[in-house]
Amino acid sequence: MLLKTAAKVLLTHTGLEEKEVLSLLEIPPQPEWGDLAFPCFVLAKKLRKSPQQIALELAEAISHEEGLSASAAGAYVNITLNRSVQIPLMLAELNKPDFLKPDIGHGQRVVIDMSSPNIAKPFGIGHLRSTVIGAALYRILGETGHVPISVNHLGDWGTQFGKQIAAYKRWGNDEQLQQDPIGESLKLYVRFHQEAEHDPSLEEEGREWFRRLEHGDAEAQRLWEFFVEVSLGEFDRMYQRLNITFDHVLGESFYNDKMQAVVAQLRAKELLEESDGALVVRLEEEELPPCLILKKDGTTIYPTRDLATAIYRREVMKADRLLYVVGGEQRLHFQQVFAVLKRAGETWAEQCEHVPFGLMRFAGKKMSTRRGKVVKLEEVLDEAVARAQAIITQKNPDLQDQQEIAEDVGIGAIIFGDLKNNRLNEVDFSLEEALTFEGETGPYVQYTHARIRSLLEKAYARTHAGAHSDFSGTVPAQEKHSSELTDASSEILGDAGWELLKQLDRYHGQLIRAVRQLEPSVMARFALDTAQAFNRFYAKERIVGGGRWRIQLAEQTADILASTLQLLGLKAPNRM
């Protein structure tokens, strides 16, 4: 709202379009300089004056406008808004549906390919990034007028399963496999790759078993179905703890009967060429290596399945846009797939987008399933919850529902510890860092939210003589701002309160930015900035008994923090 208020005044004095003015407005590095700053460089050529002279003249002109003052500082005009005018308007704005849920999607259907763990492997910490980034984007898009559709594209097909079956047939133990199907499957897979380093014939054995699987061999099919069943049980348990659900869970195998149509389409377009016995689509014009469609032995490969998948999502799921939340190491693969779709005449390929993210390391080391370097997510979640429980017991031993809150805080710490990072950055995961109640962490934001709810409980208990002793964290709308809280002579917000209100005013713009950049860290950083701004406000200004605007500001802060945490996939406990 502040940006639009300043822009409206500047429009009449600069002759610029509103969109351009909004893009130029800045936040001054020091709050005492003003609320907003407008750089005058863009006007120099048009007005044939120096930016410094323009700033002086512009500051003088807009200072006569009601509700603000302005001063020149070099080539900038610093604008200070009248708080007594703006505060009630801004507090009212924060309640409006189009502020909290801007409709910029207009019903666009967006399919999000996310999580996608491999069958017969543990759900490791390395799977976390695609899962929580994809889930956050799903919620953020849903909040902004899009129709998101989440798809868990399970890795349940390919040569790796031939290797898994070959390893089982050589070294498998049925009793051990039944007792610990995922752990034993991982051991077999790791052993296969260790043995293959000394016996190259194993690779061919794995390929042969996959050929048998593709051709419906009964024994290969039986083992594959077993691995799929036990893996889905493991995955579902993890998703429940992360509070993540999917609109569709479709493995790569779902598209087996759809790939021949893709091959036929490429052949009809005369795009397929033979290369050393395999069939490829050449992409020299796109400056990309050839895209392999069928291997020498006639079996399919990842690009074939992803082409069939994209076409299915477009034609059957009616997607307007396809997002693939997959690690950055797959960048070339998606460039090839999208290029082949374009070559095949699928104009909607322009709406396919790879949403890459950096590697997650653990104690500085890259994880590798082939070498058995897997940190199980379940073990990390259990440890996080146990540590959160210990901290909560120490800080607040009388807290009710400690186990439930410890689950919310521990798992929230893991999720936030990932999402606060720009998704393109590598993340070196640290449980100790994620769980601290201070600094840039999920528990810090959750604790700030709980602190505000506690303050509001005190405020309404004070006003209603204990009527809200069973306070649940939400004040009935008809009872807000009553008695002393609606006193028209409320003290105006101080500097800390004003800075907090300006921070909340950024929610709308940050949410839109998160959508346009497909970047959940924008909202995580907003949550941190908001929590920090509130704690400064709490330290410097009286809230309970401090007047209507301060109570209202605390309410709005709690509500917006809770909404932001929910978008990121965290719970917002009312007590901690």
Side-chain angles (χ1 to χ4, degrees):
M1 180 178 175
L2 284 182
L3 289 173
K4 288 190 175 181
T5 299
K8 184 177 179 181
V9 172
L10 287 165
L11 287 177
T12 59
H13 295 282
T14 62
L16 299 175
E17 297 290 331
E18 182 180 28
K19 186 175 180 180
E20 186 173 8
V21 172
L22 288 171
S23 70
L24 289 170
L25 282 167
E26 301 175 9
I27 305 296
Q30 300 296 330
E32 58 269 22
W33 293 359
D35 299 314
L36 294 166
F38 179 77
C40 297
F41 305 102
V42 70
L43 298 172
K45 185 175 181 180
K46 177 182 177 182
L47 300 179
R48 297 183 180 180
K49 297 179 182 179
S50 72
Q52 292 80 2
Q53 182 62 33
I54 295 171
L56 285 168
E57 295 174 1
L58 185 57
E60 171 64 23
I62 66 176
S63 285
H64 297 292
E65 298 282 349
E66 186 178 355
L68 57 79
S69 60
S71 62
Y76 286 81
V77 174
N78 290 329
I79 300 170
T80 301
L81 295 161
N82 185 314
R83 295 183 189 182
S84 61
V85 172
Q86 294 298 324
I87 288 171
L89 296 175
M90 291 170 69
L91 287 170
E93 182 76 10
L94 295 180
N95 272 322
K96 292 181 179 178
D98 60 349
F99 179 86
L100 296 169
K101 296 185 177 185
D103 184 4
I104 60 173
H106 307 297
Q108 184 185 56
R109 293 174 64 84
V110 185
V111 169
I112 306 172
D113 183 315
M114 53 180 279
S115 195
S116 309
N118 289 325
I119 294 299
K121 310 293 188 302
F123 199 109
I125 192 73
H127 294 117
L128 186 69
R129 299 217 74 192
S130 175
T131 305
V132 300
I133 292 171
L137 290 177
Y138 179 90
R139 298 185 190 97
I140 289 168
L141 288 167
E143 197 80 349
T144 52
H146 300 80
V147 180
I149 302 160
S150 58
V151 181
N152 193 353
H153 187 66
L154 295 174
D156 69 348
W157 205 249
T159 305
Q160 60 176 318
F161 294 100
K163 296 176 180 180
Q164 190 77 53
I165 294 169
Y168 166 78
K169 299 300 287 185
R170 279 191 173 232
W171 309 296
N173 180 297
D174 283 345
E175 184 177 345
Q176 291 176 341
L177 195 63
Q178 290 294 334
Q179 290 177 351
D180 183 13
I182 299 298
E184 190 62 22
S185 296
L186 177 62
K187 289 179 183 177
L188 291 172
Y189 189 72
V190 171
R191 182 172 180 181
F192 179 93
H193 287 282
Q194 290 173 340
E195 298 281 351
E197 290 180 3
H198 308 289
D199 182 3
S201 67
L202 277 174
E203 294 287 351
E204 179 53 39
E205 191 174 327
R207 286 191 287 269
E208 175 57 28
W209 271 109
F210 180 55
R211 279 195 294 271
R212 292 173 66 173
L213 180 61
E214 286 212 306
H215 288 87
D217 178 86
E219 175 65 358
Q221 186 75 18
R222 179 185 72 83
L223 289 169
W224 176 77
E225 289 176 355
F226 169 78
F227 291 133
V228 169
E229 182 181 357
V230 297
S231 298
L232 287 176
E234 160 109 342
F235 299 159
D236 286 344
R237 190 168 64 255
M238 293 302 95
Y239 292 131
Q240 286 175 14
R241 293 192 73 182
L242 294 169
N243 195 31
I244 290 173
T245 57
F246 297 92
D247 297 313
H248 301 278
V249 178
L250 299 174
E252 293 179 53
S253 61
F254 176 79
Y255 303 95
N256 283 346
D257 62 352
K258 301 166 180 59
M259 288 186 284
Q260 287 308 313
V262 172
V263 175
Q265 180 181 355
L266 296 178
R267 185 172 279 119
K269 295 279 186 177
E270 298 183 348
L271 294 173
L272 290 179
E273 294 184 28
E274 187 174 326
S275 176
D276 296 326
L279 290 178
V280 303
V281 174
R282 298 198 179 279
L283 301 170
E284 284 89 347
E285 291 183 16
E286 291 82 2
E287 298 183 350
L288 296 171
C291 183
L292 181 59
I293 303 298
L294 289 178
K295 294 188 283 187
K296 291 179 183 179
D297 58 10
T299 56
T300 56
I301 195 168
Y302 291 114
T304 328
R305 290 191 284 278
D306 277 345
L307 289 166
T309 301
I311 292 170
Y312 179 86
R313 291 172 180 171
R314 172 68 178 184
E315 295 182 352
V316 179
M317 294 185 180
K318 306 300 181 184
D320 298 306
R321 189 178 178 193
L322 303 180
L323 302 181
Y324 295 81
V325 185
V326 182
E329 67 275 10
Q330 295 295 317
R331 190 182 306 272
L332 175 60
H333 166 76
F334 285 108
Q335 287 176 333
Q336 290 176 304
V337 169
F338 301 159
V340 172
L341 284 171
K342 291 178 187 177
R343 285 285 192 93
E346 306 291 2
T347 56
W348 49 267
E350 297 286 350
Q351 301 304 316
C352 296
E353 185 173 351
H354 177 206
V355 183
F357 53 84
L359 285 172
M360 176 172 278
R361 300 181 183 274
F362 197 86
K365 297 179 181 178
K366 180 181 177 182
M367 287 158 279
S368 169
T369 305
R370 290 188 176 190
R371 300 188 181 278
K373 296 179 180 178
V374 177
V375 179
K376 294 182 180 179
L377 180 60
E378 184 169 31
E379 295 175 356
V380 174
L381 295 181
D382 287 344
E383 179 67 16
V385 171
R387 293 193 187 195
Q389 173 88 62
I391 294 170
I392 289 169
T393 301
Q394 179 186 9
K395 290 180 176 290
N396 192 355
D398 299 325
L399 181 67
Q400 295 181 350
D401 304 318
Q402 282 194 23
Q403 182 57 43
E404 180 183 345
I405 293 172
E407 187 85 5
D408 293 343
V409 173
I411 292 176
I414 302 299
I415 295 172
F416 196 90
D418 186 320
L419 294 181
K420 73 177 183 180
N421 300 284
N422 184 295
R423 61 176 166 79
L424 292 175
N425 293 344
E426 288 192 355
V427 175
D428 192 0
F429 182 78
S430 166
L431 190 57
E432 290 77 9
E433 179 184 323
L435 273 169
T436 179
F437 277 59
E438 298 176 356
E440 297 184 340
T441 69
Y444 171 73
V445 179
Q446 289 173 313
Y447 182 73
T448 301
H449 171 267
R451 166 182 274 178
I452 303 171
R453 295 300 186 195
S454 177
L455 284 170
L456 291 174
E457 180 177 8
K458 291 177 183 177
Y460 285 93
R462 172 188 175 119
T463 303
H464 298 289
H468 293 286
S469 58
D470 61 343
F471 184 71
S472 64
T474 303
V475 179
Q478 68 272 21
E479 298 189 20
K480 286 186 178 182
H481 320 313
S482 60
S483 188
E484 70 163 287
L485 305 182
T486 56
D487 181 2
S489 63
S490 299
E491 180 184 335
I492 195 167
L493 296 178
D495 290 343
W498 176 241
E499 290 303 316
L500 173 59
L501 181 55
K502 289 196 294 182
Q503 170 62 21
L504 297 184
D505 187 60
R506 299 178 65 224
Y507 177 84
H508 178 94
Q510 293 301 94
L511 186 57
I512 293 174
R513 182 181 160 213
V515 171
R516 290 177 176 162
Q517 296 180 2
L518 297 175
E519 182 56 81
S521 69
V522 170
M523 298 313 296
R525 290 287 160 183
F526 172 84
L528 287 169
D529 291 345
T530 301
Q532 290 165 357
F534 176 82
N535 286 318
R536 288 191 291 269
F537 171 53
Y538 175 76
K540 295 182 177 181
E541 299 188 36
R542 183 184 180 195
I543 300 175
V544 177
R548 168 171 57 93
W549 283 346
R550 289 181 181 169
I551 290 294
Q552 230 181 316
L553 181 58
E555 288 171 352
Q556 299 284 12
T557 304
D559 291 346
I560 285 179
L561 274 181
S563 296
T564 307
L565 287 170
Q566 186 273 329
L567 289 177
L568 297 171
L570 281 75
K571 299 288 183 65
N574 290 323
R575 293 182 174 88
M576 280 177 64

